[in-house]
Amino acid sequence: MIIAVLLFSAIFAQNLTSHDPERAGNLDDNETAPMWQSTGSSKFILGTDHLGRDVLARIIYGTRISLLVGIIVLVLSGAMGTIIGIISGYFGGNIDEALMRLVDITLAVPFILVALVVAVILGNSLNIVVVLLVMFFWTGFARQIRAETLQLKTTDYVAFARSSGASNVRIMYKHILPGVFSTFLVIATLTVGTVILTESILTFLGVGVPGPTPTWGAMISDGRNYLTTGWWMAFFPGIAILLTVLAFNFLGDWLRDELDPKLRQLTQ
Amino acid sequence: MVKYIARRLAYSVIVLFVTSLVVFGLSRAAGDPRHIFLTEYTSQADWDAWGKEYGLDKPFIVQYGIWAGNALRGDFGTSLRDHVNARLVIQERIPATLQLTVGSFVMAIVVGLPLGVMSAIKRGSMLDYVGRSWALLGQALPPYWLGVMMVLLFAVMLNWLPSGRKGDWTHFVLPAVTLGWGAASGMLRLTRSAMLEVLDSEYIKMARAKGVGNNWIIWKHALRNAIIAPLTYSGLLLGGLMTGTVITETVFSWPGLGRLAVQAVYNNDFPVLTGVVLLVTVIYLSVNLLTDVLYAMVDPRIRLN
């Protein structure tokens, strides 16, 4: 349900709100409280921020960035992780060893600090955030897909394909890839919440998507300075993140139970 | 056992090497470090002399060697903001971060472990419900937002606790809870599922069938076997908390390493930033190494494999 609302608001952001999320509105309207408070106005349902921008409009537009980053990162890191996982599991031996150590090394690097370093040097932009997140999130895919591939490799139909002369690439593409797809889907859904959360953390620290693009992380970061006068500025974007992440995690749990009971043990 | 430790140690060194190479490569990609000193009075001769002094005329690998050698001796260069050795700037911040990390680590264990055990034993009870909700929220709550909201509630609205900076113990409560919340929920989740799995095993059923007392079963038979997963996790946790301080310290203006790193980003203070990154990586790796060794000591299956 929540996810449907999210997708809907990301796509139809313009139709849902008449307020401009980026340009400052009428400064007379700044720090208007949400409409149910006595100082609120029915023009701004969740109030306005310090520049008179409508909080709800910014949250709705912010959905776009969050979902966009979430989806792009998942597609790229999922593809990378799946390819590496299949190769690692299928060939085994030294290749497997090397690739799995690469996973360990990636996981051992303090991600947020390295992201800070990168941001200092290359500046911050949406692209850099995506690349950073992909570099980190492929590992989860690689590990699980490798485990899955190890099992599929021993099945009769793979043995049959091999004995009938299929090449390695063909076996991996035609016989193993479809087999790991449900695993991929489950991990992707379970990861999307974490990706969105991490993106908002980077943005909050000032090394993520730069302003004035409306993002949930930046809204909380800005709103933090106005806690005493306008609590709603930081409160509502956080609720948006919380609900989004919860929704994706629930969806992931449900998918896992539906598609693959085996995975229960792996991911819990 | 010795072989196992040696292998883990070698692996940690490799990780450190890769991280330092990345950090160094990035720092050189940022531009010629001489530009920092460049003024309108700089002559070509000065420029070249600096090049010699800092070894910039040598190939990349040699430059890395010089830099890494200095870093190993704790010399990361001069802070561009404070004009003293970056090491001094960093050293000053270590105790505050340590205090915060240990505080939230203790919270994670004191809250997470018992609550995890209880919610596994009393499955489906009110307590289990509370435990599971906490675990779910802990996964989905943005940590910085939690911090901001706690400031709003306890500092702005109720005026019970100070909103930030370091001071007496009251200053410590909000940052430690913010940092520890997620960690506690992770600990809880893990302990609960490990306990459930063990409680479902044959030997627990056997013990029950023999008529062993319920408390004895839980604390003696089940927890001892279930503790391995939380133990490993606590190692990872300590490392994770170190990076978590970046967020918490920013929210609460806590004068530790994490805030220093973020400030260094804003000031383009590269020597300090690299120093913090390398230091945290070393701590992180050491803790992980220690956990692996502990893990192998507790579980013979690991060290014999």
Side-chain angles (χ1 to χ4, degrees):
Chain A
M1 233 291 278
I2 295 173
I3 293 169
V5 173
L6 287 172
L7 281 176
F8 184 78
S9 47
I11 296 167
F12 298 107
Q14 290 98 331
N15 308 56
L16 284 175
T17 171
S18 54
H19 299 289
D20 188 324
E22 288 188 22
R23 231 190 25 243
N26 189 343
L27 277 179
D28 293 340
D29 291 333
N30 75 331
E31 299 191 26
T32 309
M35 60 181 277
W36 57 86
Q37 293 207 332
S38 55
T39 51
S41 147
S42 60
K43 231 170 93 193
F44 309 107
I45 299 175
L46 297 182
T48 62
D49 69 2
H50 56 291
L51 296 176
R53 294 174 296 194
D54 184 45
V55 170
L56 182 62
R58 284 176 66 77
I59 289 179
I60 292 175
Y61 277 92
T63 316
R64 281 190 175 173
I65 297 287
S66 292
L67 289 188
L68 192 72
V69 170
I71 290 166
I72 296 177
V73 168
L74 281 180
V75 169
L76 293 179
S77 62
M80 189 169 151
T82 306
I83 292 169
I84 290 177
I86 290 181
I87 290 176
S88 190
Y90 184 80
F91 290 109
N94 285 337
I95 298 175
D96 183 30
E97 185 70 20
L99 288 173
M100 285 305 111
R101 287 299 80 78
L102 190 65
V103 170
D104 290 345
I105 289 173
T106 313
L107 288 175
V109 172
F111 171 70
I112 290 189
L113 283 171
V114 172
L116 289 179
V117 179
V118 173
V120 173
I121 292 163
L122 303 176
N124 45 343
S125 74
L126 185 60
N127 293 341
I128 291 173
V129 171
V130 168
V131 170
L132 276 172
L133 291 171
V134 170
M135 295 297 283
F136 187 71
F137 277 102
W138 66 273
T139 52
F141 288 93
R143 272 208 174 146
Q144 302 263 340
I145 302 267
R146 169 182 173 270
E148 193 80 2
T149 308
L150 283 178
Q151 282 183 351
L152 289 176
K153 204 169 70 168
T154 59
T155 55
D156 289 340
Y157 63 85
V158 170
F160 179 77
R162 193 173 297 137
S163 64
S164 54
S167 69
N168 284 335
V169 176
R170 188 182 161 82
I171 293 175
M172 285 190 275
Y173 179 70
K174 280 266 173 190
H175 302 283
I176 293 185
L177 190 61
V180 298
F181 186 71
S182 65
T183 312
F184 168 82
L185 213 61
V186 170
I187 306 170
T189 333
L190 283 173
T191 316
V192 81
T194 323
V195 173
I196 290 176
L197 205 60
T198 315
E199 178 267 319
S200 82
I201 288 173
L202 292 181
T203 309
F204 175 79
L205 290 173
V207 296
V209 183
T213 317
T215 53
W216 295 340
M219 288 176 75
I220 296 174
S221 176
D222 290 342
R224 187 161 78 92
N225 301 321
Y226 301 91
L227 274 186
T228 42
T229 50
W231 56 272
W232 55 89
M233 290 180 217
F235 181 76
F236 292 112
I239 295 289
I241 298 178
L242 179 63
L243 289 180
T244 309
V245 177
L246 271 180
F248 277 111
N249 287 354
F250 275 129
L251 182 70
D253 281 342
W254 176 79
L255 263 180
R256 179 184 58 202
D257 296 349
E258 287 293 303
L259 290 176
D260 200 349
K262 273 191 316 239
L263 264 174
R264 269 196 104 117
Q265 289 123 19
L266 282 172
T267 43
Q268 250 178 5
Chain B
M1 187 70 186
V2 175
K3 212 174 135 194
Y4 174 77
I5 295 175
R7 213 180 62 211
R8 303 304 297 175
L9 192 65
Y11 156 66
S12 305
V13 172
I14 294 174
V15 174
L16 188 61
F17 174 71
V18 172
T19 312
S20 67
L21 204 60
V22 169
V23 168
F24 179 76
L26 284 169
S27 77
R28 281 298 178 265
D32 197 310
R34 279 174 289 190
H35 282 294
I36 297 159
F37 309 114
L38 193 63
T39 61
E40 49 190 306
Y41 303 112
T42 309
S43 67
Q44 183 63 39
D46 289 339
W47 183 262
D48 293 340
W50 286 337
K52 264 218 160 50
E53 191 186 336
Y54 295 103
L56 295 171
D57 49 347
K58 301 189 178 69
F60 180 80
I61 292 296
V62 178
Q63 287 188 38
Y64 169 76
I66 296 171
W67 176 81
N70 287 336
L72 277 179
R73 270 176 260 121
D75 180 6
F76 304 110
T78 308
S79 162
L80 303 181
R81 201 177 75 105
D82 300 334
H83 305 292
V84 290
N85 195 321
R87 194 189 56 184
L88 299 174
V89 182
I90 293 168
Q91 256 173 3
E92 205 180 38
R93 302 295 194 104
I94 294 176
T97 292
L98 219 55
Q99 194 189 358
L100 194 58
T101 315
V102 171
S104 36
F105 184 66
V106 170
M107 174 185 159
I109 293 185
V110 169
V111 175
L113 205 64
L115 208 56
V117 173
M118 295 311 247
S119 77
I121 300 169
K122 303 224 159 40
R123 207 174 169 179
S125 70
M126 191 63 195
L127 200 71
D128 187 22
Y129 183 74
V130 171
R132 271 160 53 201
S133 315
W134 183 334
L136 264 175
L137 279 179
Q139 258 184 318
L141 267 178
Y144 57 95
W145 184 71
L146 178 70
V148 172
M149 286 304 116
M150 289 216 293
V151 169
L152 178 66
L153 183 63
F154 293 107
V156 178
M157 290 165 83
L158 298 172
N159 211 3
W160 285 353
L161 292 164
S163 66
R165 298 186 193 281
K166 214 163 166 312
D168 58 13
W169 67 271
T170 54
H171 291 255
F172 177 66
V173 177
L174 290 185
V177 172
T178 304
L179 187 58
W181 176 286
S185 84
M187 186 58 96
L188 191 161
R189 201 168 57 240
L190 209 71
T191 312
R192 181 175 179 274
S193 67
M195 261 318 255
L196 282 177
E197 202 172 303
V198 171
L199 285 175
D200 198 41
S201 64
E202 294 297 322
Y203 58 85
I204 295 292
K205 283 178 195 148
M206 175 69 189
R208 277 196 209 285
K210 275 198 327 196
V212 180
N214 198 26
N215 278 335
W216 187 260
I217 288 181
I218 288 161
W219 299 109
K220 174 84 184 161
H221 293 271
L223 188 61
R224 277 190 100 172
N225 283 292
I227 202 81
I228 292 170
L231 188 73
T232 329
Y233 183 67
S234 58
L236 290 173
L237 200 66
L238 212 53
L241 286 175
M242 288 295 295
T243 37
T245 56
V246 176
I247 301 157
T248 316
E249 289 178 4
T250 307
V251 173
F252 292 99
S253 312
W254 188 262
L257 289 174
R259 182 144 181 267
L260 183 65
V262 175
Q263 282 171 336
V265 169
Y266 292 136
N267 299 326
N268 268 315
D269 197 344
F270 212 81
V272 170
L273 187 57
T274 43
V276 175
V277 173
L278 289 184
L279 180 68
V280 171
T281 312
V282 169
I283 297 175
Y284 191 78
L285 290 173
S286 317
V287 171
N288 277 354
L289 186 67
L290 205 67
T291 322
D292 281 340
V293 173
L294 268 179
Y295 193 22
M297 274 156 70
V298 177
D299 191 344
R301 281 170 301 185
I302 312 274
R303 71 170 174 257
L304 296 176
N305 211 329

